[in-house]
Structure formats: C-alpha cells, structure tokens
C-alpha cells in the first residue's frame, strides 16, 4: 500500500490530489462463492494456504484518485468545495 498527496494554494483557491495504491493480492473464496459465483473466484480449485480452504481469488492492483477543489469566500466566511473520486485498475473489478 502506498499513499501520495499533492496540495496547492493560491489566494482564496486551493486544490488537493490524493492517490492510494493497493498492490495485487490473493484472498480466500468462500464455499458459497465457489459454488454459486465462479466468476468471482479466479482459482476455485486451488487451496488457499492461510485457511486451508478451497478457492483462491486474485485481486489485481488498484489505484484510487481523489481530487478536491475549494474556493474560500471571506465575505461570508464560507468554503465551496467540489470533490471527485475515481478508481483505476488493470483488471475489471468494482471500485
């Protein structure tokens, strides 16, 4: 796992960009997942060594990007903020 953040300020304006990276990993598949949702378990016949159960799923590396922009209005002591969050990955998965 890695985190990177970039901040920028100019007068009443500010922006922030955060990136989180999660490396690829394996996770165990439940018996229900293996029998019902075989597409959710990439290796349904392999033994997952930490638990000894059958089924091992490969989860690809994923990066999450969060971008935020803010305008500070001194006259009314208020911040207006807009946020966008995205996910990018090499293999299809829900983000």
């Amino acid at each position: 796992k890695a985190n990177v953040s970039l901040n920028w300020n100019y007068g009443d304006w500010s922006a922030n960009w955060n990136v989180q990276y999660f490396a690829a990993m394996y996770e165990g598949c439940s018996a229900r997942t293996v029998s019902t949702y075989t597409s959710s378990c990439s290796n349904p016949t392999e033994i997952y060594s930490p638990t000894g159960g059958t089924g091992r799923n490969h989860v690809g590396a994923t990066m999450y990007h969060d971008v935020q922009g803010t305008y500070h209005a001194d006259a009314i002591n208020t911040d207006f903020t807009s946020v966008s969050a995205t996910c990018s990955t090499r293999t299809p998965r829900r983000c």
Side-chain angles (χ1 to χ4, degrees):
K1 178 180 175 182
N3 296 306
V4 175
S5 181
L6 177 65
N7 297 300
W8 172 83
N9 292 296
Y10 184 78
D12 290 334
W13 294 93
S14 64
N16 175 270
W17 175 39
N18 292 308
V19 179
Q20 287 183 301
Y21 171 78
F22 294 90
M25 65 176 190
Y26 286 95
E27 63 185 3
C29 300
S30 69
R32 178 181 172 163
T33 301
V34 171
S35 65
T36 310
Y37 307 103
T38 54
S39 63
S40 298
C41 188
S42 61
N43 303 297
T45 59
E46 287 188 30
I47 302 298
Y48 182 59
S49 58
T51 62
T54 302
R56 184 173 86 149
N57 187 49
H58 179 261
V59 179
T62 304
M63 291 178 72
Y64 296 94
H65 300 267
D66 300 315
V67 178
Q68 174 179 313
T70 301
Y71 175 75
H72 179 72
D74 274 333
I76 55 175
N77 194 29
T78 303
D79 288 340
F80 297 95
T81 301
S82 176
V83 179
S84 173
T86 62
C87 170
S88 61
T89 182
R90 289 185 178 177
T91 57
R93 74 184 263 197
R94 286 177 282 185
C95 297

